[in-house]
Amino acid sequence: MIKTRAIVLHRFAYSDSSFIVKALTEECGVVSFIIKGAKRKESPFKGALDPLALSEVVFRQNPNTELQFIKEASIVDWHASLRQSLLYLAEAQVMAEIVLRYAPQGVPLPDEFQLLEGSLKAFDSIEGSDDGSSGIFARWLLDICDLWGYHLELSQCSRCERPFTEAPGDFFPESGALICKSCLGVQSARAKPATLAGLRELYLAEKNGLEAPQYLKGAFFVENALLSYLRNHIGFLKEIHSLSWLQEVRKLCSAQST
């Protein structure tokens, strides 16, 4: 028997009474479970296998089948505060889907687990506005790029190699290159000023040992730039379905704030 913590990445109906759950486990990486009778009111798994829930599960791993059977599941953290914000919930689901679709399969992923667990806790701890100005999602994207071998050098110009003393002059998501304003010269920057300012803020937060800045200028633009960089490197073959929902939620939140 294996006893491990698990973060639910995705869940879908298997029959009238059952679910298939894909979870990132602390010990075994991404595991697919079949949960028979999970839709019933008296199910012992109620709530423990909700999307994004952190739970402790007990199962016997059968190497001869893709779907594993859970014997026990209990909630560790349902992330109730996170679920109060539609925007942060949408961002968290994009993070979960990226892990599900692009993380290495069949191997333990302790660093990915720790990174996702910490980000979900950070969303829970936000007080006040849920206008998307936190740097949690952007910080996670930057860290997952680094974890998967796509490090972004935010401290210096990729051309002249001089350290940045202000926001970069431009950013190229297809290569990950940042250049200073001197190297940009008279050319027009492709990246928006808010994107460049946000990348500078992320670097300063990292330099000062902060997980994420509490307020990130142009957070949406920074997240889009980092998503573009990541997908340029890991490929566009696997569509991230939750991105379209995130874009709709962003529009809704933007309309409500005006």
Side-chain angles (χ1 to χ4, degrees):
M1 285 291 180
I2 296 175
K3 183 177 183 180
T4 182
R5 295 190 303 157
I7 299 172
V8 178
L9 302 177
H10 184 55
R11 184 184 71 183
F12 58 93
Y14 177 71
S15 66
D16 290 341
S17 62
S18 303
F19 285 118
I20 287 179
V21 168
K22 295 181 180 292
L24 175 61
T25 67
E26 195 168 19
E27 302 294 332
C28 306
V30 178
V31 180
S32 298
F33 299 104
I34 180 169
I35 318 297
K36 292 188 174 181
K39 294 182 181 179
R40 297 170 184 164
K41 292 182 180 180
E42 67 276 12
S43 171
F45 306 121
K46 198 170 185 65
L49 298 173
D50 287 350
L52 301 177
L54 172 64
S55 299
E56 187 173 74
V57 300
V58 177
F59 69 100
R60 187 186 300 277
Q61 192 169 35
N62 183 349
N64 298 318
T65 180
E66 181 182 351
L67 297 176
Q68 309 298 324
F69 288 91
I70 288 182
K71 181 179 180 181
E72 300 175 20
S74 56
I75 298 175
V76 176
D77 192 342
W78 194 68
H79 300 298
S81 296
L82 164 61
R83 297 175 196 275
Q84 298 302 309
S85 166
L86 187 61
L87 180 57
Y88 294 148
L89 182 60
E91 291 179 343
Q93 290 191 334
V94 172
M95 291 156 57
E97 187 175 355
I98 288 174
V99 171
L100 177 61
R101 293 185 179 276
Y102 290 105
Q105 301 293 303
V107 296
L109 301 169
D111 294 330
E112 284 85 345
F113 185 92
Q114 183 180 11
L115 183 57
L116 184 56
E117 180 189 18
S119 297
L120 295 178
K121 284 183 178 178
F123 278 127
D124 265 336
S125 68
I126 295 177
E127 297 180 358
S129 175
D130 65 347
D131 60 0
S133 60
S134 90
I136 295 171
F137 183 31
R139 175 80 259 176
W140 182 86
L141 286 168
L142 190 64
D143 288 343
I144 204 71
C145 285
D146 197 43
L147 187 59
W148 289 348
Y150 312 122
H151 177 69
L152 267 175
E153 182 53 70
L154 303 181
S155 65
Q156 64 182 35
C157 175
S158 62
R159 290 184 185 173
C160 67
E161 298 185 350
R162 293 177 181 173
F164 290 123
T165 57
E166 58 181 341
D170 205 356
F171 173 61
F172 303 90
E174 60 273 12
S175 64
L178 288 98
I179 61 173
C180 64
K181 293 179 180 179
S182 295
C183 289
L184 178 64
V186 297
Q187 294 180 334
S188 299
R190 296 193 310 171
K192 296 181 180 297
T195 300
L196 301 171
L199 290 171
R200 178 64 176 171
E201 286 186 67
L202 282 178
Y203 166 70
L204 293 176
E206 181 181 44
K207 182 180 178 181
N208 294 325
L210 302 177
E211 292 185 358
Q214 291 300 307
Y215 178 81
L216 183 63
K217 296 176 182 176
F220 295 168
F221 299 119
V222 179
E223 293 157 4
N224 287 341
L226 292 174
L227 277 167
S228 179
Y229 169 72
L230 178 62
R231 297 192 70 190
N232 265 287
H233 283 72
I234 59 181
F236 289 84
L237 296 179
K238 299 178 182 178
E239 183 181 356
I240 303 173
H241 300 287
S242 52
L243 271 177
S244 58
W245 183 53
L246 173 58
Q247 299 296 349
E248 291 302 316
V249 172
R250 283 174 171 175
K251 292 177 184 177
L252 177 63
C253 294
S254 177
Q256 290 177 343
S257 63
T258 58

Short mmCIF file of all heavy atoms in Angstrom, two decimals, residues 132-191:
data_model
loop_
_atom_site.label_atom_id
_atom_site.label_comp_id
_atom_site.label_asym_id
_atom_site.label_seq_id
_atom_site.Cartn_x
_atom_site.Cartn_y
_atom_site.Cartn_z
N GLY A 132 -6.36 40.18 -9.64
CA GLY A 132 -5.33 39.55 -10.45
C GLY A 132 -3.99 40.23 -10.42
O GLY A 132 -3.13 39.95 -11.26
N SER A 133 -3.80 41.15 -9.49
CA SER A 133 -2.55 41.90 -9.44
C SER A 133 -1.46 41.19 -8.64
O SER A 133 -0.35 41.69 -8.55
CB SER A 133 -2.80 43.29 -8.84
OG SER A 133 -3.30 43.18 -7.52
N SER A 134 -1.77 40.04 -8.05
CA SER A 134 -0.72 39.31 -7.33
C SER A 134 0.23 38.68 -8.33
O SER A 134 -0.13 38.45 -9.50
CB SER A 134 -1.33 38.23 -6.44
OG SER A 134 -1.45 37.02 -7.14
N GLY A 135 1.42 38.36 -7.89
CA GLY A 135 2.40 37.76 -8.79
C GLY A 135 2.50 36.26 -8.67
O GLY A 135 3.47 35.67 -9.14
N ILE A 136 1.51 35.61 -8.05
CA ILE A 136 1.61 34.18 -7.76
C ILE A 136 1.66 33.34 -9.03
O ILE A 136 2.53 32.47 -9.18
CB ILE A 136 0.44 33.73 -6.87
CG1 ILE A 136 0.54 34.42 -5.50
CG2 ILE A 136 0.45 32.22 -6.69
CD1 ILE A 136 -0.68 34.23 -4.63
N PHE A 137 0.74 33.58 -9.95
CA PHE A 137 0.71 32.80 -11.19
C PHE A 137 1.96 33.05 -12.01
O PHE A 137 2.59 32.11 -12.53
CB PHE A 137 -0.55 33.17 -11.97
CG PHE A 137 -0.75 32.39 -13.25
CD1 PHE A 137 -0.31 31.08 -13.36
CD2 PHE A 137 -1.40 32.97 -14.34
CE1 PHE A 137 -0.50 30.36 -14.55
CE2 PHE A 137 -1.59 32.26 -15.51
CZ PHE A 137 -1.15 30.96 -15.62
N ALA A 138 2.37 34.31 -12.13
CA ALA A 138 3.58 34.64 -12.88
C ALA A 138 4.82 34.01 -12.24
O ALA A 138 5.70 33.49 -12.93
CB ALA A 138 3.75 36.15 -12.97
N ARG A 139 4.88 34.05 -10.92
CA ARG A 139 6.02 33.44 -10.20
C ARG A 139 6.06 31.94 -10.44
O ARG A 139 7.14 31.36 -10.67
CB ARG A 139 5.86 33.73 -8.71
CG ARG A 139 6.89 33.09 -7.80
CD ARG A 139 8.18 33.86 -7.78
NE ARG A 139 9.21 33.26 -8.61
CZ ARG A 139 10.40 33.80 -8.81
NH1 ARG A 139 10.70 34.96 -8.28
NH2 ARG A 139 11.28 33.21 -9.57
N TRP A 140 4.89 31.30 -10.42
CA TRP A 140 4.83 29.85 -10.67
C TRP A 140 5.32 29.54 -12.09
O TRP A 140 6.07 28.59 -12.30
CB TRP A 140 3.41 29.33 -10.48
CG TRP A 140 3.30 27.85 -10.69
CD1 TRP A 140 3.52 26.87 -9.77
CD2 TRP A 140 2.98 27.18 -11.93
NE1 TRP A 140 3.34 25.63 -10.35
CE2 TRP A 140 3.02 25.79 -11.66
CE3 TRP A 140 2.66 27.63 -13.21
CZ2 TRP A 140 2.74 24.84 -12.65
CZ3 TRP A 140 2.39 26.69 -14.20
CH2 TRP A 140 2.43 25.31 -13.91
N LEU A 141 4.87 30.33 -13.07
CA LEU A 141 5.31 30.11 -14.45
C LEU A 141 6.82 30.24 -14.57
O LEU A 141 7.48 29.44 -15.24
CB LEU A 141 4.62 31.10 -15.37
CG LEU A 141 3.14 30.85 -15.68
CD1 LEU A 141 2.52 32.07 -16.35
CD2 LEU A 141 2.97 29.61 -16.55
N LEU A 142 7.38 31.25 -13.92
CA LEU A 142 8.82 31.46 -13.97
C LEU A 142 9.56 30.28 -13.33
O LEU A 142 10.55 29.79 -13.87
CB LEU A 142 9.18 32.77 -13.25
CG LEU A 142 10.61 33.27 -13.40
CD1 LEU A 142 10.91 33.63 -14.85
CD2 LEU A 142 10.84 34.48 -12.50
N ASP A 143 9.04 29.80 -12.21
CA ASP A 143 9.68 28.70 -11.49
C ASP A 143 9.54 27.37 -12.24
O ASP A 143 10.46 26.55 -12.24
CB ASP A 143 9.10 28.56 -10.09
CG ASP A 143 9.54 29.68 -9.16
OD1 ASP A 143 10.53 30.36 -9.49
OD2 ASP A 143 8.90 29.89 -8.11
N ILE A 144 8.38 27.14 -12.87
CA ILE A 144 8.21 25.87 -13.59
C ILE A 144 9.09 25.86 -14.84
O ILE A 144 9.62 24.81 -15.23
CB ILE A 144 6.72 25.62 -13.94
CG1 ILE A 144 6.48 24.12 -14.13
CG2 ILE A 144 6.29 26.37 -15.17
CD1 ILE A 144 6.52 23.30 -12.89
N CYS A 145 9.29 27.01 -15.47
CA CYS A 145 10.23 27.10 -16.59
C CYS A 145 11.63 26.70 -16.13
O CYS A 145 12.33 25.92 -16.79
CB CYS A 145 10.25 28.52 -17.16
SG CYS A 145 8.82 28.97 -18.16
N ASP A 146 12.04 27.23 -15.00
CA ASP A 146 13.36 26.93 -14.46
C ASP A 146 13.47 25.45 -14.10
O ASP A 146 14.49 24.81 -14.38
CB ASP A 146 13.61 27.81 -13.22
CG ASP A 146 15.07 27.86 -12.84
OD1 ASP A 146 15.92 28.01 -13.75
OD2 ASP A 146 15.38 27.74 -11.64
N LEU A 147 12.42 24.90 -13.51
CA LEU A 147 12.42 23.50 -13.07
C LEU A 147 12.53 22.55 -14.26
O LEU A 147 13.18 21.50 -14.18
CB LEU A 147 11.15 23.22 -12.28
CG LEU A 147 11.02 21.86 -11.59
CD1 LEU A 147 12.15 21.64 -10.60
CD2 LEU A 147 9.67 21.76 -10.89
N TRP A 148 11.91 22.91 -15.37
CA TRP A 148 11.91 22.04 -16.55
C TRP A 148 13.03 22.36 -17.52
O TRP A 148 13.06 21.87 -18.64
CB TRP A 148 10.56 22.13 -17.25
CG TRP A 148 9.46 21.46 -16.46
CD1 TRP A 148 9.61 20.63 -15.38
CD2 TRP A 148 8.04 21.54 -16.68
NE1 TRP A 148 8.40 20.21 -14.92
CE2 TRP A 148 7.41 20.74 -15.69
CE3 TRP A 148 7.26 22.21 -17.61
CZ2 TRP A 148 6.02 20.61 -15.61
CZ3 TRP A 148 5.88 22.07 -17.53
CH2 TRP A 148 5.28 21.28 -16.56
N GLY A 149 13.99 23.19 -17.09
CA GLY A 149 15.18 23.43 -17.88
C GLY A 149 15.11 24.57 -18.86
O GLY A 149 15.95 24.67 -19.77
N TYR A 150 14.14 25.47 -18.67
CA TYR A 150 13.99 26.61 -19.58
C TYR A 150 14.23 27.92 -18.82
O TYR A 150 13.39 28.81 -18.81
CB TYR A 150 12.60 26.62 -20.21
CG TYR A 150 12.17 25.28 -20.78
CD1 TYR A 150 11.01 24.65 -20.33
CD2 TYR A 150 12.94 24.64 -21.74
CE1 TYR A 150 10.63 23.42 -20.84
CE2 TYR A 150 12.57 23.41 -22.26
CZ TYR A 150 11.41 22.80 -21.80
OH TYR A 150 11.03 21.58 -22.30
N HIS A 151 15.36 28.00 -18.18
CA HIS A 151 15.67 29.14 -17.31
C HIS A 151 15.63 30.46 -18.07
O HIS A 151 16.15 30.57 -19.19
CB HIS A 151 17.06 28.97 -16.69
CG HIS A 151 17.50 30.11 -15.85
ND1 HIS A 151 16.91 30.42 -14.64
CD2 HIS A 151 18.46 31.06 -16.06
CE1 HIS A 151 17.50 31.49 -14.14
NE2 HIS A 151 18.44 31.90 -14.98
N LEU A 152 15.00 31.45 -17.46
CA LEU A 152 14.96 32.81 -18.00
C LEU A 152 15.93 33.68 -17.21
O LEU A 152 15.81 33.78 -15.99
CB LEU A 152 13.55 33.39 -17.88
CG LEU A 152 12.60 33.21 -19.07
CD1 LEU A 152 11.23 33.75 -18.70
CD2 LEU A 152 13.12 33.92 -20.29
N GLU A 153 16.87 34.30 -17.88
CA GLU A 153 17.82 35.18 -17.21
C GLU A 153 17.24 36.59 -17.17
O GLU A 153 17.22 37.28 -18.19
CB GLU A 153 19.17 35.16 -17.94
CG GLU A 153 20.23 36.01 -17.27
CD GLU A 153 20.41 35.65 -15.81
OE1 GLU A 153 20.92 34.55 -15.52
OE2 GLU A 153 20.00 36.48 -14.96
N LEU A 154 16.78 36.97 -15.98
CA LEU A 154 16.13 38.27 -15.82
C LEU A 154 17.08 39.35 -15.31
O LEU A 154 16.68 40.51 -15.22
CB LEU A 154 14.95 38.16 -14.84
CG LEU A 154 13.86 37.16 -15.18
CD1 LEU A 154 12.77 37.21 -14.11
CD2 LEU A 154 13.26 37.43 -16.55
N SER A 155 18.31 38.99 -15.01
CA SER A 155 19.20 39.94 -14.33
C SER A 155 20.05 40.76 -15.28
O SER A 155 20.54 41.83 -14.91
CB SER A 155 20.12 39.19 -13.36
OG SER A 155 21.00 38.32 -14.07
N GLN A 156 20.24 40.29 -16.54
CA GLN A 156 21.14 41.00 -17.43
C GLN A 156 20.70 40.90 -18.88
O GLN A 156 19.91 40.03 -19.25
CB GLN A 156 22.57 40.44 -17.31
CG GLN A 156 22.71 38.99 -17.76
CD GLN A 156 24.11 38.46 -17.58
OE1 GLN A 156 24.80 38.82 -16.62
NE2 GLN A 156 24.56 37.62 -18.50
N CYS A 157 21.21 41.80 -19.68
CA CYS A 157 20.90 41.84 -21.11
C CYS A 157 21.53 40.64 -21.81
O CYS A 157 22.69 40.31 -21.56
CB CYS A 157 21.43 43.15 -21.71
SG CYS A 157 21.22 43.28 -23.51
N SER A 158 20.76 40.01 -22.68
CA SER A 158 21.27 38.83 -23.37
C SER A 158 22.28 39.18 -24.47
O SER A 158 22.99 38.31 -24.96
CB SER A 158 20.12 38.04 -23.98
OG SER A 158 19.43 38.81 -24.94
N ARG A 159 22.36 40.45 -24.85
CA ARG A 159 23.29 40.86 -25.90
C ARG A 159 24.60 41.40 -25.33
O ARG A 159 25.67 40.88 -25.59
CB ARG A 159 22.64 41.91 -26.80
CG ARG A 159 21.52 41.35 -27.67
CD ARG A 159 20.95 42.39 -28.61
NE ARG A 159 19.80 41.88 -29.36
CZ ARG A 159 19.04 42.61 -30.15
NH1 ARG A 159 19.32 43.92 -30.33
NH2 ARG A 159 18.02 42.08 -30.79
N CYS A 160 24.51 42.46 -24.52
CA CYS A 160 25.73 43.08 -23.99
C CYS A 160 26.12 42.50 -22.63
O CYS A 160 27.21 42.78 -22.13
CB CYS A 160 25.56 44.59 -23.89
SG CYS A 160 24.34 45.12 -22.66
N GLU A 161 25.23 41.71 -22.03
CA GLU A 161 25.46 41.02 -20.75
C GLU A 161 25.65 41.98 -19.57
O GLU A 161 26.20 41.61 -18.54
CB GLU A 161 26.65 40.07 -20.85
CG GLU A 161 26.44 38.96 -21.86
CD GLU A 161 27.57 37.94 -21.88
OE1 GLU A 161 28.62 38.21 -21.24
OE2 GLU A 161 27.40 36.89 -22.52
N ARG A 162 25.21 43.21 -19.74
CA ARG A 162 25.27 44.15 -18.62
C ARG A 162 24.06 43.95 -17.71
O ARG A 162 22.96 43.70 -18.20
CB ARG A 162 25.30 45.58 -19.14
CG ARG A 162 26.56 45.95 -19.91
CD ARG A 162 26.47 47.36 -20.46
NE ARG A 162 27.66 47.71 -21.23
CZ ARG A 162 27.79 48.83 -21.93
NH1 ARG A 162 26.79 49.72 -21.96
NH2 ARG A 162 28.89 49.07 -22.60
N PRO A 163 24.25 44.06 -16.41
CA PRO A 163 23.12 43.89 -15.48
C PRO A 163 22.07 44.98 -15.70
O PRO A 163 22.41 46.14 -15.98
CB PRO A 163 23.77 44.03 -14.10
CG PRO A 163 25.23 43.73 -14.32
CD PRO A 163 25.53 44.23 -15.70
N PHE A 164 20.82 44.60 -15.57
CA PHE A 164 19.74 45.58 -15.68
C PHE A 164 19.70 46.44 -14.42
O PHE A 164 19.77 45.93 -13.30
CB PHE A 164 18.38 44.89 -15.84
CG PHE A 164 18.19 44.21 -17.16
CD1 PHE A 164 17.90 42.85 -17.22
CD2 PHE A 164 18.28 44.93 -18.35
CE1 PHE A 164 17.70 42.22 -18.44
CE2 PHE A 164 18.10 44.30 -19.57
CZ PHE A 164 17.81 42.94 -19.62
N THR A 165 19.56 47.73 -14.61
CA THR A 165 19.36 48.64 -13.48
C THR A 165 17.95 49.23 -13.52
O THR A 165 17.58 50.03 -12.66
CB THR A 165 20.39 49.79 -13.52
OG1 THR A 165 20.29 50.47 -14.78
CG2 THR A 165 21.80 49.23 -13.34
N GLU A 166 17.21 48.85 -14.54
CA GLU A 166 15.82 49.28 -14.72
C GLU A 166 15.11 48.19 -15.52
O GLU A 166 15.69 47.13 -15.80
CB GLU A 166 15.78 50.61 -15.47
CG GLU A 166 16.46 50.56 -16.83
CD GLU A 166 16.42 51.89 -17.55
OE1 GLU A 166 15.59 52.75 -17.19
OE2 GLU A 166 17.22 52.08 -18.49
N ALA A 167 13.87 48.43 -15.88
CA ALA A 167 13.13 47.46 -16.67
C ALA A 167 13.84 47.21 -18.00
O ALA A 167 14.44 48.12 -18.57
CB ALA A 167 11.71 47.95 -16.91
N PRO A 168 13.79 45.97 -18.51
CA PRO A 168 14.41 45.68 -19.81
C PRO A 168 13.80 46.52 -20.93
O PRO A 168 12.70 47.05 -20.81
CB PRO A 168 14.11 44.19 -20.02
CG PRO A 168 13.78 43.66 -18.67
CD PRO A 168 13.16 44.79 -17.91
N GLY A 169 14.53 46.59 -22.05
CA GLY A 169 14.04 47.32 -23.20
C GLY A 169 13.07 46.51 -24.03
O GLY A 169 12.17 47.06 -24.68
N ASP A 170 13.24 45.17 -24.03
CA ASP A 170 12.33 44.31 -24.79
C ASP A 170 12.50 42.86 -24.33
O ASP A 170 13.49 42.49 -23.70
CB ASP A 170 12.61 44.41 -26.29
CG ASP A 170 11.39 44.07 -27.14
OD1 ASP A 170 10.35 43.69 -26.57
OD2 ASP A 170 11.47 44.20 -28.38
N PHE A 171 11.48 42.05 -24.66
CA PHE A 171 11.48 40.62 -24.32
C PHE A 171 10.99 39.85 -25.52
O PHE A 171 10.01 40.22 -26.17
CB PHE A 171 10.56 40.37 -23.12
CG PHE A 171 10.36 38.91 -22.80
CD1 PHE A 171 11.43 38.11 -22.46
CD2 PHE A 171 9.09 38.33 -22.85
CE1 PHE A 171 11.26 36.76 -22.17
CE2 PHE A 171 8.90 36.99 -22.56
CZ PHE A 171 9.99 36.20 -22.22
N PHE A 172 11.69 38.73 -25.83
CA PHE A 172 11.36 37.90 -26.98
C PHE A 172 10.95 36.52 -26.48
O PHE A 172 11.80 35.69 -26.16
CB PHE A 172 12.57 37.79 -27.92
CG PHE A 172 13.07 39.12 -28.39
CD1 PHE A 172 14.06 39.80 -27.68
CD2 PHE A 172 12.56 39.70 -29.54
CE1 PHE A 172 14.53 41.04 -28.12
CE2 PHE A 172 13.02 40.94 -29.99
CZ PHE A 172 14.01 41.61 -29.28
N PRO A 173 9.63 36.24 -26.39
CA PRO A 173 9.16 34.98 -25.80
C PRO A 173 9.56 33.73 -26.58
O PRO A 173 9.66 32.65 -25.98
CB PRO A 173 7.64 35.15 -25.77
CG PRO A 173 7.34 36.21 -26.77
CD PRO A 173 8.52 37.13 -26.76
N GLU A 174 9.84 33.87 -27.88
CA GLU A 174 10.24 32.69 -28.65
C GLU A 174 11.63 32.20 -28.25
O GLU A 174 11.94 31.01 -28.38
CB GLU A 174 10.19 32.98 -30.15
CG GLU A 174 11.09 34.09 -30.62
CD GLU A 174 10.45 35.47 -30.52
OE1 GLU A 174 9.39 35.60 -29.88
OE2 GLU A 174 11.02 36.41 -31.10
N SER A 175 12.48 33.08 -27.76
CA SER A 175 13.83 32.68 -27.35
C SER A 175 14.09 32.88 -25.85
O SER A 175 15.02 32.31 -25.30
CB SER A 175 14.88 33.47 -28.14
OG SER A 175 14.78 34.87 -27.84
N GLY A 176 13.29 33.73 -25.20
CA GLY A 176 13.50 34.04 -23.79
C GLY A 176 14.51 35.15 -23.58
O GLY A 176 14.90 35.41 -22.44
N ALA A 177 14.94 35.80 -24.64
CA ALA A 177 15.95 36.84 -24.52
C ALA A 177 15.34 38.15 -24.03
O ALA A 177 14.27 38.57 -24.48
CB ALA A 177 16.64 37.06 -25.87
N LEU A 178 16.04 38.79 -23.10
CA LEU A 178 15.72 40.15 -22.67
C LEU A 178 16.89 41.04 -23.04
O LEU A 178 18.06 40.65 -22.84
CB LEU A 178 15.47 40.22 -21.16
CG LEU A 178 14.18 39.61 -20.65
CD1 LEU A 178 14.45 38.19 -20.13
CD2 LEU A 178 13.60 40.46 -19.53
N ILE A 179 16.59 42.22 -23.58
CA ILE A 179 17.66 43.13 -23.95
C ILE A 179 17.43 44.47 -23.25
O ILE A 179 16.30 44.83 -22.91
CB ILE A 179 17.76 43.33 -25.47
CG1 ILE A 179 16.47 43.93 -26.03
CG2 ILE A 179 18.09 42.01 -26.17
CD1 ILE A 179 16.58 44.31 -27.51
N CYS A 180 18.53 45.19 -23.04
CA CYS A 180 18.44 46.49 -22.38
C CYS A 180 18.01 47.56 -23.38
O CYS A 180 17.98 47.34 -24.59
CB CYS A 180 19.78 46.85 -21.75
SG CYS A 180 21.12 47.08 -22.94
N LYS A 181 17.71 48.72 -22.88
CA LYS A 181 17.24 49.81 -23.73
C LYS A 181 18.34 50.30 -24.67
O LYS A 181 18.07 50.75 -25.78
CB LYS A 181 16.71 50.94 -22.87
CG LYS A 181 15.43 50.56 -22.12
CD LYS A 181 14.92 51.69 -21.24
CE LYS A 181 13.64 51.27 -20.51
NZ LYS A 181 13.13 52.33 -19.61
N SER A 182 19.59 50.19 -24.23
CA SER A 182 20.70 50.61 -25.09
C SER A 182 20.81 49.70 -26.31
O SER A 182 21.02 50.17 -27.44
CB SER A 182 22.02 50.59 -24.31
OG SER A 182 22.00 51.55 -23.28
N CYS A 183 20.67 48.38 -26.09
CA CYS A 183 20.75 47.44 -27.21
C CYS A 183 19.51 47.53 -28.10
O CYS A 183 19.59 47.25 -29.30
CB CYS A 183 20.93 46.02 -26.69
SG CYS A 183 22.56 45.69 -25.98
N LEU A 184 18.40 47.93 -27.52
CA LEU A 184 17.18 48.12 -28.32
C LEU A 184 17.34 49.28 -29.27
O LEU A 184 16.89 49.23 -30.42
CB LEU A 184 15.98 48.34 -27.40
CG LEU A 184 14.63 48.60 -28.08
CD1 LEU A 184 14.18 47.36 -28.88
CD2 LEU A 184 13.57 48.98 -27.05
N GLY A 185 18.05 50.33 -28.82
CA GLY A 185 18.30 51.48 -29.66
C GLY A 185 17.04 52.20 -30.07
O GLY A 185 16.13 52.42 -29.26
N VAL A 186 16.93 52.51 -31.36
CA VAL A 186 15.79 53.27 -31.87
C VAL A 186 14.63 52.36 -32.29
O VAL A 186 13.58 52.84 -32.71
CB VAL A 186 16.21 54.14 -33.08
CG1 VAL A 186 17.24 55.17 -32.65
CG2 VAL A 186 16.75 53.27 -34.22
N GLN A 187 14.82 51.06 -32.17
CA GLN A 187 13.77 50.13 -32.55
C GLN A 187 12.62 50.19 -31.54
O GLN A 187 12.82 50.50 -30.36
CB GLN A 187 14.31 48.71 -32.63
CG GLN A 187 15.33 48.50 -33.74
CD GLN A 187 15.83 47.06 -33.79
OE1 GLN A 187 15.81 46.37 -32.78
NE2 GLN A 187 16.26 46.64 -34.96
N SER A 188 11.44 49.86 -31.99
CA SER A 188 10.27 49.81 -31.11
C SER A 188 10.20 48.45 -30.42
O SER A 188 10.40 47.41 -31.06
CB SER A 188 8.99 50.05 -31.91
OG SER A 188 9.01 51.32 -32.52
N ALA A 189 9.93 48.47 -29.14
CA ALA A 189 9.81 47.23 -28.38
C ALA A 189 8.54 46.49 -28.77
O ALA A 189 7.49 47.09 -28.98
CB ALA A 189 9.82 47.53 -26.89
N ARG A 190 8.63 45.17 -28.86
CA ARG A 190 7.44 44.36 -29.14
C ARG A 190 6.64 44.13 -27.86
O ARG A 190 5.42 44.05 -27.89
CB ARG A 190 7.85 43.01 -29.74
CG ARG A 190 8.53 43.11 -31.10
CD ARG A 190 8.62 41.74 -31.77
NE ARG A 190 9.17 40.73 -30.86
CZ ARG A 190 9.19 39.43 -31.13
NH1 ARG A 190 8.68 38.99 -32.27
NH2 ARG A 190 9.71 38.57 -30.29
N ALA A 191 7.35 43.99 -26.75
CA ALA A 191 6.68 43.74 -25.47
C ALA A 191 6.07 45.02 -24.92
O ALA A 191 6.61 46.12 -25.12
CB ALA A 191 7.68 43.16 -24.47
#
